[in-house]
Amino acid sequence: YVTPEPRPINDFVLIDHQGQERRFSSLRGQPALVFFGFTHCPDICPPTLLRLRALHDAQDVVALAQNSG
């Protein structure tokens, strides 16, 4: 489900890919996508995670283009 309008959420802390605590509030002012998926669900999660990976990769391409010119 995608909400039609952004919703405010309370601050929270998760562990990032480098094992460091990361507060959601540290992303303030930047686009943020919060997704909770599972790595072992056969039907929905793998294709969804692939789409998110494609989104992330596309974002990297845009950032490289902006920084090179």
Side-chain angles (χ1 to χ4, degrees):
Y1 175 75
V2 176
T3 59
E5 295 292 325
R7 294 185 192 175
I9 59 175
N10 294 328
D11 198 18
F12 58 89
V13 177
L14 295 173
I15 305 301
D16 70 12
H17 63 287
Q18 296 175 334
Q20 302 296 313
E21 286 189 355
R22 177 89 182 223
R23 289 193 161 281
F24 183 68
S25 60
S26 70
L27 301 173
R28 192 175 315 272
Q30 301 176 44
L33 174 68
V34 178
F35 174 79
F36 294 94
F38 300 91
T39 57
H40 298 310
C41 64
D43 299 327
I44 296 171
C45 296
T48 302
L49 291 172
L50 285 173
R51 287 185 187 133
L52 290 173
R53 174 66 187 259
L55 176 65
H56 184 268
D57 291 348
Q59 187 178 7
D60 289 345
V61 170
V62 170
L64 284 172
Q66 289 174 342
N67 291 331
S68 67

